[in-house]
Amino acid sequence: MTEAATAQKPSSTGAPVVEMRGISIEFPGVKALQDVDFRLLPGEVHALMGENGAGKSTLIKALTGVYTIDSGQIRVGGAPVSFARPAEAQAAGVSTVYQEVNLCANLTVAENILLGREPRKAGAIDGRAMRARAREVLTSIGLHIDPASTLSTHPIAVQQLVAIARAVAVDASVLILDEPTSSLDADEVAELFRIMRTLRDKGTAILFVSHFLDQVYEISDRMTVLRNGKLVGEYLTAELSRLDLISAMIGRELGEMDALARMTASHEADSSRVPTLRARGLGRVGSIEPMDLDVHAGEVVGLAGLLGSGRTELVRLLFGADRPERGTIEVDGKPVSIRNPRNAIAAGIAFASEDRKGEGLIADLSIRDNLVLAMQASRGWARPVPRRLKDELIEKYIELLDIRPANPDALIRNLSGGNQQKVILARWLVTQPKLLILDEPTRGIDIGAKAQIMKLVATLAAEGMAVIFISAELEEVLRISDRVVVLRDRQKIAELEGRSASVNDVMSLIASHSDGSTLERNAS
Amino acid sequence: MSTSTPLGKLRTNGLLWPIVALVALLVVNVIARPSFASITLRDGHLYGSLIDILRNGAPTLLVALGMTLVIATRGIDLSVGATAAIVGAITTTYIVAAPDPASARAAFIGMAIALVACALLGVWNGFLVSVLGIQPIIATLVLMVAGRGIAMLITDGQIITVNNEAFSVVGAGFVLLPVSILISIAVFIGLVIITRRTALGMLIESVGINPEASRLAGIRSRTIVWMVYVFAALCAGVAGLMITSNVNSVNPNSVGLWIELDAILAVVIGGTSLAGGRFSLAGTLLGALVIQTLTTTVYNLGIEPQAILVFKAAVVLAVCLMQAPKFRARFVRRPKPPTPAIRPTAPAPVPSKVGQ
Ligand SMILES: Nc1ncnc2c1ncn2[C@@H]1O[C@H](COP(=O)(O)OP(=O)(O)OP(=O)(O)O)[C@@H](O)[C@H]1O
Ligand SMILES: [Mg+2]
């Protein structure tokens, strides 16, 4: 590996807009960053790469003043800075979209976009001007939603786009995007990249974090790789092969990744038997048109469809997160009435939500508590999970999913995004469900861990679990699924054999049912 | 940042500043009046200013314990003072009207009836909050306002005086220590065991930290929130018994007046955040002691009555500021300069896998 590549010639000219030298940050017990150098040039897209917990988000937060650095120096536009809070960084022209969408769910889309910069008329906020300005910004990133709608009424991906809109609405010299694409569809990613290129060509320096190598290679000019809080090196994207990148990130050669490609579902579902899940005419007004769905033991069923096609809405009904208004559900041939998550859990259904922060994490509790939460909830408060069993489970899953730090007492809020996701996954695995529903389970997970999780899902299915798998990444869905259910406009439009179907098959199915309004999304 | 030393531990679990405040207040008192610290044994009872603090602080502590759980679920209960008044009113009215107003029997039945009524008040609050989803501050405001009226109706607008030895024991009795503080400490210990030895504490915190995630994890949030309000009402009820029994009379207008504020302050001083989530019963215990010592100090120092509330407010503000991470980060010098502007984390994670 070319560890000495740090002194590459920059692809673009000009002095760095951001220069960080010798940055170290230590949290109690964790050296999150150790002596890291980083620079960002005007007019480049710079990818910050590394495994979950490598320190990418921490480096960003060090720059924007969320964290105070223990040592090192930061220069923005040549002048030494030390931002005391993110607002100061913003004022200095550093605009940031953090990994966890950081907006006010109760405010409107327009208010969120222009918060702190509201257009005023005679001192008072000019609501009309604000909505007009917000609409402009939204249109510029290709998002057609009502600026006056409340943010929380939109799915997480749209919220992510709103956060991006907010960041690009200002003329910043530095734009930082920490995993902006983690829940976006291909179309939205393309739109985002178009905007990023425009901004780059105007001279904006863009820092981009993503675990999707395809995206990184498509958009970035240079990369900085971190591993375990240390700098590995800075490279020109064009000069670094994927394999080299991967080994720079994980610090060893890779055998497992190849296995990933061939790790198609090797299990056989027995569809002659009674299905584990049998839903008939399940629906809810404004959410999902009545539809049928069968999932057999040992089968992975993927849900494919664009954003807003009803993937998440469907599984929320199955789990009782929203109350179904019509239809029946049978589990193992027995009718069950699912009106809330408790009913579903009692029936052997588990659901890991796509909204990790809002619907998954109990931020102030430890890894241990988060991990046993669902199991504890179904036992009731009076029967605590025995200490021994708890320790066993925690040890097992920390090991199995490689959760870091491997300290059960660490607060989950302090984990990196990918590691939080793993804990939530483990929370449901310990309940040993019959049907496991995974909504974007690989969101924000690095490629090594992604392979692990995909393998785990395949293994669980092979052991007889029924799985419903949702992901914005169609390849991923097709690779893991025995059967793919294609949704469009909140309706089921087709079912395909997972292994024989291709991305193109699915996309053309969706397009052929299209009536022209491909990306129209509404608040309802 | 060492968390292995006792001091480091206290700092990370937020008990350091309440302890400092308590010790400081005690020192001030001893300086002002050296006899403050003396405790004497007379007729098998302990006497002294410190014992008085315990006795007078017992109702506040009890109410604060209930309040701690309510606050942990993101709630607040403003009706505890009114509940205390209602319980006092029911008990005394029953005892006075009983055929044998001096008997232990009358006292017990009176208290039992009052506590059942009090549990119902808790059920009412819990219903408004957990089933109807009304904001806790509004939901409990209803009873806060209406409660004293109800108490007045029960006593017919009178101040009722009772003469019943069995009843006096609750608030004024001694078994070496005042009975009231023994009751409060027993509730404290019981509560610590029931929340920390079972999963109740964790589930309450979970509901308080993220209600939606908790619901999706299958927690019976509604039942938990409901239970917590009933418990808070019962605590308030017993506190009401202590207060009325201590003076052998009830004035519906003054029993437990402002006790909700003292209780909330005790909880906050103890380090439980009003935003809900993690709670500390030990912190609340300390907080209640700080509040009561403060009140005693004010009288002890002879501070003018008009200035009492301001003085109290100043001390509370100081403790709360010291608790606030942002404030500390900015104004308290630490040996190792710039530390991340984040909340202090509980136990230090062991970087066993990180550096592999
Ligand atoms: N506030 C905090 N307190 C304690 N530890 C923290 C805190 N924030 C981050 N860490 C730790 O610092 C390390 C780096 O985390 P960071 O969030 O920067 O990772 P990341 O590279 O962004 O990972 P991911 O791809 O999963 O988002 C992790 O080990 C994490 O647990
Ligand atoms: Mg991150």
Side-chain angles (χ1 to χ4, degrees):
Chain A
M1 258 308 303
T2 47
E3 295 258 351
T6 319
Q8 289 279 4
K9 260 217 153 80
S11 58
S12 45
T13 49
V17 245
V18 173
E19 204 173 1
M20 304 175 80
R21 282 197 177 279
I23 305 295
S24 297
I25 288 188
E26 187 174 346
F27 297 116
V30 181
K31 290 197 168 103
L33 291 177
Q34 291 177 60
D35 198 21
V36 172
D37 295 337
F38 174 76
R39 64 200 177 128
L40 191 57
L41 304 179
E44 72 166 349
V45 175
H46 193 127
L48 188 55
M49 303 296 295
E51 289 181 289
N52 292 137
K56 303 179 295 291
S57 301
T58 306
L59 187 69
I60 289 170
K61 289 178 183 169
L63 170 59
T64 61
V66 177
Y67 294 150
T68 317
I69 52 177
D70 293 343
S71 63
Q73 209 190 32
I74 303 175
R75 287 167 177 275
V76 171
V81 293
S82 95
F83 301 126
R85 63 194 87 90
E88 288 179 16
Q90 174 88 52
V94 179
S95 191
T96 313
V97 178
Y98 295 96
Q99 185 169 8
E100 301 299 341
V101 174
N102 231 340
L103 300 172
C104 308
N106 296 330
L107 298 185
T108 66
V109 170
E111 283 163 339
N112 269 295
I113 291 176
L114 296 170
L115 198 66
R117 310 188 290 265
E118 297 89 351
R120 284 168 190 277
K121 200 158 73 183
I125 290 174
D126 182 351
R128 186 175 309 170
M130 183 155 92
R131 283 189 295 278
R133 173 86 186 100
R135 193 183 304 273
E136 240 171 71
V137 175
L138 288 170
T139 314
S140 77
I141 71 160
L143 188 61
H144 303 283
I145 56 173
D146 179 6
S149 57
T150 308
L151 185 75
S152 59
T153 58
H154 297 286
I156 195 88
V158 172
Q159 296 187 21
Q160 204 168 36
L161 286 168
V162 171
I164 293 170
R166 173 178 165 75
V168 300
V170 288
D171 264 334
S173 55
V174 178
L175 175 62
I176 301 177
L177 303 167
D178 193 354
E179 298 197 31
T181 58
S182 57
S183 56
L184 302 187
D185 285 343
D187 283 346
E188 280 117 356
V189 172
E191 189 67 30
L192 175 63
F193 283 2
R194 192 185 55 74
I195 298 159
M196 284 169 65
R197 289 197 184 97
T198 317
L199 289 172
R200 174 187 62 189
D201 296 342
K202 281 198 291 189
T204 310
I206 300 176
L207 176 56
F208 177 72
V209 179
S210 168
H211 289 295
F212 299 107
L213 296 194
D214 288 344
Q215 295 178 359
V216 170
Y217 274 93
E218 184 188 338
I219 191 78
S220 75
D221 305 308
R222 279 192 314 150
M223 302 184 189
T224 293
V225 179
L226 300 180
R227 188 198 319 142
N228 287 333
K230 298 197 193 93
L231 177 70
V232 178
E234 189 196 83
Y235 312 91
L236 285 172
T237 306
E239 292 175 4
L240 185 70
S241 76
R242 284 180 189 229
L243 276 182
D244 285 344
L245 170 62
I246 291 169
S247 40
M249 287 196 296
I250 67 178
R252 61 192 139 86
E253 295 301 320
L254 197 78
E256 220 168 87
M257 287 302 125
D258 311 320
L260 174 65
R262 279 180 276 106
M263 195 218 49
T264 43
S266 58
H267 46 280
E268 273 314 320
D270 182 0
S271 45
S272 61
R273 295 221 333 258
V274 182
T276 302
L277 174 85
R278 183 190 188 91
R280 288 290 172 269
L282 195 68
R284 180 184 161 94
V285 175
S287 162
I288 274 289
E289 300 294 321
M291 69 173 80
D292 300 345
L293 185 70
D294 284 351
V295 186
H296 289 86
E299 188 184 35
V300 180
V301 171
L303 298 188
L306 298 178
L307 189 67
S309 59
R311 299 172 305 200
T312 297
E313 287 80 352
L314 172 61
V315 292
R316 284 181 66 88
L317 289 191
L318 287 174
F319 186 67
D322 298 324
R323 212 181 245 236
E325 281 170 353
R326 53 192 305 174
T328 58
I329 296 176
E330 287 175 19
V331 173
D332 283 342
K334 283 191 281 295
V336 287
S337 145
I338 292 182
R339 279 164 301 124
N340 57 43
R342 285 189 63 79
N343 300 148
I345 294 167
I349 303 177
F351 167 58
S353 160
E354 63 171 341
D355 183 359
R356 181 164 66 217
K357 188 177 172 197
E359 300 182 345
L361 300 181
I362 311 292
D364 285 331
L365 291 187
S366 61
I367 295 183
R368 185 199 314 278
D369 288 345
N370 270 282
L371 202 141
V372 297
L373 192 69
M375 182 188 228
Q376 183 62 65
S378 57
R379 291 170 70 101
W381 65 268
R383 289 199 309 135
V385 180
R387 185 79 198 193
R388 222 355 153 58
L389 175 60
K390 224 194 254 191
D391 287 344
E392 241 168 58
L393 288 172
I394 285 158
E395 201 178 322
K396 176 175 162 197
Y397 282 96
I398 284 184
E399 170 99 37
L400 184 69
L401 299 174
D402 192 18
I403 294 168
R404 302 182 211 184
N407 168 16
D409 293 318
L411 297 189
I412 199 168
R413 68 177 319 134
N414 292 338
L415 265 52
S416 78
N419 282 299
Q420 293 175 340
Q421 180 70 37
K422 295 181 196 172
V423 176
I424 303 297
L425 201 58
R427 173 191 295 169
W428 292 110
L429 293 181
V430 300
T431 65
Q432 302 192 314
K434 292 177 194 155
L435 171 66
L436 177 62
I437 304 173
L438 300 172
D439 194 354
E440 302 281 2
T442 57
R443 181 167 171 226
I445 287 209
D446 70 45
I447 71 166
K450 201 175 272 185
Q452 272 171 2
I453 285 179
M454 299 292 275
K455 199 153 78 189
L456 185 68
V457 170
T459 316
L460 290 171
E463 287 167 10
M465 198 180 283
V467 181
I468 295 179
F469 189 93
I470 301 179
S471 167
E473 257 187 295
L474 205 45
E475 292 87 353
E476 197 173 272
V477 177
L478 292 173
R479 199 185 311 130
I480 190 83
S481 307
D482 301 285
R483 198 150 45 86
V484 177
V485 172
V486 185
L487 300 178
R488 183 170 194 289
D489 287 340
R490 299 160 193 276
Q491 280 171 346
K492 176 161 134 184
I493 56 171
E495 272 191 33
L496 302 171
E497 275 292 308
R499 265 156 288 182
S500 49
S502 73
V503 173
N504 276 341
D505 294 347
V506 177
M507 288 318 287
S508 57
L509 258 174
I510 293 174
S512 68
H513 280 252
S514 160
D515 47 12
S517 60
T518 28
L519 263 179
E520 210 69 47
R521 280 182 296 263
N522 274 316
S524 56
Chain B
M1 228 185 280
S2 77
T3 46
S4 45
T5 63
L7 194 69
K9 241 186 207 151
L10 285 179
R11 180 181 281 171
T12 43
N13 61 22
L15 296 185
L16 181 64
W17 292 110
I19 290 179
V20 169
L22 187 57
V23 171
L25 283 172
L26 292 175
V27 169
V28 166
N29 278 295
V30 173
I31 293 171
R33 190 163 59 81
S35 68
F36 179 83
S38 74
I39 294 176
T40 52
L41 184 66
R42 250 185 286 147
D43 315 334
H45 302 169
L46 291 175
Y47 286 99
S49 300
L50 294 174
I51 304 297
D52 286 342
I53 289 179
L54 288 181
R55 188 176 64 185
N56 295 331
T60 312
L61 170 57
L62 202 51
V63 173
L65 289 174
M67 190 70 79
T68 306
L69 297 193
V70 170
I71 286 178
T73 63
R74 286 193 179 184
I76 195 135
D77 188 347
L78 298 180
S79 70
V80 284
T83 304
I86 292 177
V87 166
I90 294 179
T91 313
T92 49
T93 309
Y94 178 86
I95 293 176
V96 170
D100 44 357
S103 70
R105 199 183 118 89
F108 282 124
I109 297 181
M111 291 192 282
I113 294 175
L115 289 180
V116 169
C118 157
L120 291 178
L121 296 177
V123 169
W124 163 255
N125 279 337
F127 174 77
L128 294 184
V129 173
S130 71
V131 179
L132 299 188
I134 299 175
Q135 293 265 335
I137 199 165
I138 303 298
T140 56
L141 196 61
V142 174
L143 193 54
M144 179 187 185
V145 175
R148 292 200 184 270
I150 296 174
M152 295 281 268
L153 287 178
I154 294 170
T155 63
D156 212 7
Q158 306 292 311
I159 295 176
I160 295 182
T161 309
V162 287
N163 206 336
N164 183 311
E165 264 180 37
F167 181 56
S168 298
V169 169
V170 180
F174 271 88
V175 179
L176 191 61
L177 285 168
V179 169
S180 56
I181 193 65
L182 294 178
I183 295 176
S184 293
I185 292 294
V187 171
F188 170 76
I189 293 172
L191 196 58
V192 168
I193 291 174
I194 206 168
T195 52
R196 297 306 179 193
R197 283 293 152 92
T198 71
L200 187 61
M202 175 185 111
L203 296 182
I204 288 176
E205 290 179 335
S206 176
V207 169
I209 295 167
N210 190 339
E212 181 60 10
S214 302
R215 183 179 79 94
L216 291 181
I219 296 176
R220 288 181 196 273
S221 333
R222 184 178 289 183
T223 318
I224 286 181
V225 172
W226 208 332
M227 262 168 60
V228 157
Y229 280 90
V230 174
F231 177 73
L234 282 171
C235 285
V238 176
L241 291 177
M242 289 174 182
I243 297 168
T244 34
S245 138
N246 193 24
V247 294
N248 283 318
S249 75
V250 68
N251 175 354
N253 277 323
S254 70
V255 171
L257 194 63
W258 303 133
I259 200 168
E260 57 277 346
L261 296 188
D262 277 352
I264 293 169
L265 285 176
V267 174
V268 172
I269 290 177
T272 299
S273 158
L274 281 178
R278 302 200 83 151
F279 63 89
S280 163
L281 294 170
T284 297
L285 173 65
L286 283 169
L289 290 178
V290 169
I291 292 282
Q292 190 56 47
T293 311
L294 192 53
T295 310
T296 309
T297 309
V298 167
Y299 293 115
N300 202 3
L301 296 185
I303 293 178
E304 307 201 0
Q306 305 91 298
I308 287 178
L309 288 177
V310 176
F311 179 76
K312 225 169 154 178
V315 174
V316 169
L317 182 67
V319 177
C320 293
L321 280 178
M322 295 314 281
Q323 299 270 39
K326 283 215 173 115
F327 182 84
R328 269 210 316 259
R330 185 160 301 187
F331 294 102
V332 184
R333 293 233 164 264
R334 295 253 212 92
K336 194 179 123 220
T339 25
I342 49 166
R343 292 229 218 147
T345 48
V350 189
S352 50
K353 273 221 162 171
V354 176
Q356 67 185 357

